[in-house]
């Protein structure tokens, strides 16, 4: 073998893999296509690799998908933008295959390559590709075509641009709903490229037609187009062109369309401007909040804080808040849950007094909701309210409810409260905390649900960081260590997890005086699960003790012997974990 | 190939499927491990006992969140890992890996669903085809099932089996001489152990409405316990609305660990925590909320590229979503019109008639 082909030998293997029977090998090779290209060099890649890939188009979808993705990044490997058009051919084929994901990826890649083309390349290669796909027999190529107009438009010649506007219009009027849906999906992006004059003369009529399509699946997609187009117009123009359309969409007989409006309401309002919003959209929003379809109400609830930021306080209090009050007792739990997630967002907008007067009673009601997600969502957003009204007012009004929730029968609700405790602790101070919340924190260590016990130990570490090691020494450490004698191994386990969790937060002295005795005791625990967790705990304790020259000797004196004893244990797992812990200190 | 079990377990917790070749190797190794187990495995408390899971992966995760993770908590699983749920593959994969990684901390007993005949009809075979494209993975696991033990005894006091007792079996020793390394037969002691049910209204054995195994009553239970000097029988196999059931004056318990069975029964589930002194605590739980909405990754797979939820275009749940969407077959997503049913099979009780 001559030297040149010797170098190419591993590449030959890769190329063979591209033709292999086993699909996973072909996939592998496709993912390393750039390696092959680098070895072949620009010219051979252009002249041999790309055509080879183009002819192997009938392959597994997974391979085609990977190929479509790779080609989008391939410009540098074929010698730079001046050759980029060579990648268009295989991508055009991929854009017409049956599998949607492959087509979408091909379109994505074409969108990446398009900006790299010169105007000449665009006119010579890209525009004809676009035409062929647009006039394709199968709906698959026509749907892909819709995604290629926006990026091709800016650099095209005025004649081509006029053609493109016409062809896109044809796609919007296509017989197949799939194509019209794709056109509706991409109308917004296209609209942003055509310039104001053609936006008004060509695009808005297309939009209006799609917005009245007989298929609701097409209509609902035009909502995002509306936002996109409105962003290009002045507020007066938005109002002139879209007031009627918006009104009919809000009252559309298909709830799916109303859902899309609701879900995009803030974006919509921002796009059409303040006056339009104030005069016409408030009424529309209220309609959506009272819609008879729960999903629409849920989507609208999600938009409440965002929308409220755009209107004045009086409008909120007079129009939005009454709806919010009704939604708190909505029959659908998902609506109430969505509201609970968002309602605290109103607090910063309304300010302290209005929040205290209008929102606090609603929070309390939601905290007592029978559906756990509602309760959970309120708790997770209390911080926002805290910032507005302050911890004292918050704890007076809400603390009793919070304490009740700490014993909620849904463990995820209990968990959310635990996560909130360190924050409360920081705000309330040590005395208040000890009096009201201390016992609660300890009781969680004995909860019947493991995740609660685990969270409780992490909580203790965070509290130690807030209140200090001395406080921990007096209040929590004795109780934690006492659990080490519980008859149930699952609770003795909590002690060990707590020790491991707290080690980084306490001083080496605390470990020596309080923790080590318990640890060394548990080395002889009758249950192997305890013993191997002791080994893991020791593994975590050693670095902390080594920090301090006073406590470092303890490692050799107490901990290493303990590990050695455990490494000869009769149980496999105890031996495994203790030997692992011994490795760094051998 | 060097098998990194810890990495496999971690991927499985993220609900990522293992490669087919990895599954093959794991099953091979686990078979070797199980081969040396007797038909009656003796273990010591403390241990947490788990009943039917039936491919409800998120509820298995819930079990770990409530009972503690392996290996810190000892687990005894009583079978029926696959079928009916959406994630049988992930469920049996993770349990097999855990058994292989921590053989002293995990025990797996064979249920009536750990069988080629049953899994061909009740979902596991279909799921393997859908997720792997071939039936190889189904073959690896069903071959593995032949090796699973039939029963476990805790502290020589508690007899644990998937279904129940057999008229052919009076002593533990009689179980030990069974040749278990084969497909579950239609009848005989091995079939009885995985198919039988207690009947608190009777005293003796009777024909089972399931068409396999028997029903057994109070005298049978007392005699078995007395003869074998044990004080409790623990089994699964039957849906319990409260998650568990205690019968025969606390001589027999059923533990059921698949909450909201088939995503529509609305039942509770439980795991039984057994302490060193024989203390029994049923830790009751509900279905995990992750069952209700698809994960972001699943949502990606089912979305149109513009981000509009697929369900906006469907007419409601129907049974057609299959394993691609996280919602259950009744369209647990709340979009209106999501009712749909999953065909006429009564989930509460399997019978052998469906596949004879």
């Amino acid at each position: 073998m001559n030297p040149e082909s010797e170098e190419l030998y591993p590449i030959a293997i890769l190329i063979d893999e591209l033709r292999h029977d086993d699909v996973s090998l072909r996939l592998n090779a496709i993912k390393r296509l750039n390696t092959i290209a680098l070895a072949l060099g620009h010219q051979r890649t252009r002249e041999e690799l790309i055509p080879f890939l183009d002819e192997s188009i009938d392959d597994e979808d997974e391979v085609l998908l990977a190929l479509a993705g790779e080609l989008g990044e391939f410009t540098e490997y074929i010698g730079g933008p001046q050759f980029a058009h060579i990648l268009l051919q295989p991508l055009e084929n991929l854009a017409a295959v049956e599998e949607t994901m492959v087509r979408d990826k091909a379109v994505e890649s074409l969108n990446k390559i398009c900006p790299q083309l010169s105007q000449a390349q665009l006119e010579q290669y890209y525009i004809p590709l676009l035409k062929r796909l647009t006039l394709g027999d199968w709906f698959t190529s026509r749907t892909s075509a819709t995604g290629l107009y926006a990026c091709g438009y800016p650099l095209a010649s005025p004649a081509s641009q006029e053609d493109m506007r016409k062809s896109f219009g044809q796609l919007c009027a296509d017989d197949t709903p799939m194509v019209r849906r794709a056109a509706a999906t991409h109308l917004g992006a296209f609209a942003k490229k055509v310039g104001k004059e053609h936006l008004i003369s060509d695009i808005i009529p297309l939009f209006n037609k799609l917005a009245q399509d007989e298929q609701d699946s097409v209509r609902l997609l035009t909502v995002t187009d509306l936002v996109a187009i409105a962003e290009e117009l002045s507020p007066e123009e938005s109002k002139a062109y879209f007031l009627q359309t918006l009104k009919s969409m809000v009252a559309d007989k298909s709830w799916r369309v109303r859902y899309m409006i609701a879900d995009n309401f803030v974006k919509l309002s921002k796009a059409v401007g303040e006056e339009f919003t104030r005069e016409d959209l408030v009424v529309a929003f209220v309609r959506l909040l009272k819609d008879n379809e729960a999903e629409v109400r849920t989507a609208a609830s999600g938009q409440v804080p965002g929308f409220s930021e755009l209107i004045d306080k009086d409008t909120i209090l007079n129009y939005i808040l009454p709806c919010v009050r009704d939604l708190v007792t909505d029959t659908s739990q998902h609506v109430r849950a969505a509201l609970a997630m968002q309602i605290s967002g109103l607090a910063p907008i309304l300010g302290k007094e209005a929040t205290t007067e209008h929102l606090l009673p609603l929070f309390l009601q939601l905290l007592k909701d029978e559906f756990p997600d509602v309760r959970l969502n309120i708790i997770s957003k209390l911080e926002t309210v805290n910032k507005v009204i302050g911890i004292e007012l918050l704890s007076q009004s809400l603390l009793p409810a919070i304490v009740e929730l700490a014993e909620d029968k849904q463990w995820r609700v209990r968990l959310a409260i635990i996560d909130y405790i360190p924050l409360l602790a920081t705000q309330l101070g040590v005395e208040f905390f000890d009096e009201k919340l201390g016992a609660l924190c300890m009781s969680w260590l004995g909860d019947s649900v493991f995740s609660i016990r685990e969270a409780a130990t992490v909580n203790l570490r965070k509290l130690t960081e807030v209140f200090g090691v001395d406080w921990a020494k007096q209040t929590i450490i004795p109780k934690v260590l006492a659990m080490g004698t519980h008859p149930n191994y699952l609770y003795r386990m909590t002690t060990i997890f707590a020790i491991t969790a707290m080690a980084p937060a306490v001083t080496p002295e605390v470990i020596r005086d309080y923790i080590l005795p318990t640890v060394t005791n548990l080395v002889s625990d009758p249950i192997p699960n305890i013993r191997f967790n002791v080994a893991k705990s020791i593994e975590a304790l050693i670095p902390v003790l080594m920090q301090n020259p006073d406590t470092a000797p303890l490692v050799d004196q107490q901990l290493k012997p303990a590990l050695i004893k455990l490494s000869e244990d009769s149980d496999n797992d105890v031996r495994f974990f203790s030997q692992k812990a011994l490795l760094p200190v051998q | 190939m060097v098998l990194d079990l810890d990495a496999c377990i971690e991927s499985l917790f993220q609900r990522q499927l293992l490669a087919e070749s990895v599954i093959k190797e794991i099953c091979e190794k686990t078979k070797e491990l199980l081969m040396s187990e007797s038909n009656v495995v003796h273990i010591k408390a403390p241990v947490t006992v788990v009943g039917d899971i039936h491919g409800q992966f998120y509820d298995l995760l819930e079990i770990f969140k409530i009972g503690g993770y392996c290996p810190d908590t000892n687990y005894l699983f009583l079978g029926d890992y696959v079928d009916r749920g959406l994630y049988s593959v992930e469920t049996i994969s993770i349990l097999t890996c855990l058994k292989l990684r921590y053989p002293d901390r995990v025990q797996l007993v064979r249920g009536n669903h750990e069988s080629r005949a049953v899994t061909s009809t009740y979902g596991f075979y279909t799921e393997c085809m859908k997720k792997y494209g071939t039936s190889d993975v189904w073959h690896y696991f069903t071959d593995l099932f032949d090796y699973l033990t039939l029963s476990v005894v805790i502290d020589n006091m508690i007899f644990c089996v998937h279904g129940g007792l057999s008229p052919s079996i009076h002593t533990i020793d009689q179980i030990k001489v069974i040749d278990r390394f084969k497909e579950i037969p239609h009848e005989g002691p091995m079939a009885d152990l995985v198919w039988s049910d207690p009947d608190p209204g009777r005293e003796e054995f009777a024909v089972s409405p399931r068409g396999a195994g028997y029903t057994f009553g109070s005298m049978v239970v007392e005699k078995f316990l007395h003869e074998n000097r044990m004080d409790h029988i623990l089994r699964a196999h039957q849906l319990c609305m409260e998650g568990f059931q205690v019968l025969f004056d606390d001589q027999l318990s059923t533990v059921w660990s698949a909450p909201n069975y088939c995503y529509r029964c609305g039942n509770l589930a439980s795991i039984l925590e057994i302490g060193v002194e024989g203390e029994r605590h049923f830790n009751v739980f509900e279905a995990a909320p992750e069952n209700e909405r698809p994960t972001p990754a699943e949502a990606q797979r089912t979305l149109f590229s513009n981000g509009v939820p697929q369900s906006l275009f469907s007419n409601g749940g129907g049974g057609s979503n299959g394993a691609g969407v996280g919602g259950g077959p009744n369209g647990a997503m709340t979009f209106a019109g999501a009712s749909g049913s999953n065909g006429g099979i009564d989930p509460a009780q399997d019978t052998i008639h469906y596949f004879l």
Side-chain angles (χ1 to χ4, degrees), chain B residues 267-324:
Chain B
N267 59 293
L268 296 173
S270 74
I271 50 179
L272 174 57
E273 292 164 350
I274 300 183
V276 288
E277 307 291 329
E279 321 88 275
R280 280 177 258 131
H281 169 242
F282 285 99
N283 203 333
V284 179
F285 62 97
E286 292 177 8
E290 288 83 3
N291 282 309
E292 273 191 33
R293 295 208 177 238
T295 59
E298 273 164 324
Q300 272 304 297
R301 286 208 291 280
T302 61
L303 288 180
F304 282 94
S305 55
N306 60 14
V308 174
Q310 169 110 17
S311 54
L312 280 184
F313 296 101
S314 68
N315 290 325
S320 56
N321 277 339

Side-chain angles (χ1 to χ4, degrees), chain A residues 195-251:
Chain A
K196 195 126 173 215
E197 184 201 327
H198 292 122
L199 179 68
I200 298 182
S201 64
D202 292 33
I203 301 296
I204 292 191
L206 291 179
F207 166 81
N208 281 325
K209 199 138 181 274
L210 289 170
Q212 289 161 20
D213 195 287
E214 45 141 19
Q215 297 271 337
D216 65 351
S217 57
V218 177
R219 295 201 303 278
L220 71 85
L221 290 168
T222 57
V223 173
T224 32
D225 296 331
L226 205 167
V227 174
I229 298 174
E231 282 169 359
E232 303 297 310
L233 301 173
S234 72
E236 295 81 26
E237 286 166 326
S238 292
K239 188 155 177 172
Y241 290 111
F242 292 134
L243 181 55
Q244 212 38 53
T245 318
L246 252 173
K247 280 195 174 146
S248 26
M249 279 180 159
V250 170

Side-chain angles (χ1 to χ4, degrees), chain A residues 504-520:
Chain A
V506 298
T507 58
E509 290 84 17
V510 166
I511 297 186
R512 177 191 62 207
D513 298 334
Y514 292 83
I515 292 181
L516 272 192
T518 303
V519 169
T520 36

Side-chain angles (χ1 to χ4, degrees), chain B residues 95-111:
Chain B
L95 289 176
T96 308
C97 286
L98 287 172
K99 172 64 179 173
L100 191 56
R101 177 69 183 84
Y102 302 110
D104 297 326
R105 310 266 89 86
V106 176
Q107 302 305 327
L108 302 175
V109 170
R110 193 170 188 180

Side-chain angles (χ1 to χ4, degrees), chain A residues 300-435:
Chain A
S301 301
Q303 303 283 301
V304 162
F307 186 67
S308 304
E309 270 172 22
L310 303 174
I311 53 183
D312 63 276
K313 207 156 140 180
D314 281 331
T315 315
I316 303 178
L317 289 174
N318 292 328
Y319 290 94
I320 307 295
L321 213 51
C323 295
V324 168
R325 259 185 225 111
D326 286 338
L327 290 171
V328 167
T329 49
D330 194 288
T331 45
S332 160
Q333 68 222 32
H334 298 281
V335 177
R336 300 197 307 274
L339 186 71
M341 188 62 94
Q342 302 295 336
I343 192 176
S344 45
L346 281 174
I349 303 172
L350 290 178
K352 186 163 172 175
E353 266 177 53
T355 299
T356 314
E357 188 188 333
H358 297 282
L359 291 183
L360 267 188
L362 300 179
F363 293 153
L364 264 170
Q365 229 181 323
L366 290 167
L367 268 177
K368 298 197 166 105
D369 195 286
E370 55 165 10
F371 187 55
D373 273 4
V374 180
R375 308 196 290 272
L376 213 60
N377 291 348
I378 285 282
I379 297 163
S380 56
K381 293 298 181 84
L382 279 178
E383 173 59 11
T384 323
V385 182
N386 182 24
K387 285 201 183 107
V388 175
I389 65 175
I391 190 69
E392 275 197 44
L393 189 53
L394 187 71
S395 45
Q396 268 170 39
S397 53
L398 295 181
L399 203 62
I402 290 180
V403 169
E404 221 179 284
L405 287 173
E407 291 161 353
D408 197 288
K409 60 180 175 57
Q410 292 275 347
W411 68 267
R412 283 179 172 81
V413 178
R414 302 201 292 279
L415 190 67
I417 297 288
I418 298 181
D419 285 341
Y420 194 62
I421 290 290
L423 177 68
L424 272 178
T426 334
Q427 314 266 354
L428 294 174
V430 69
E431 269 162 39
F432 188 102
F433 178 85
D434 277 341
E435 191 192 319

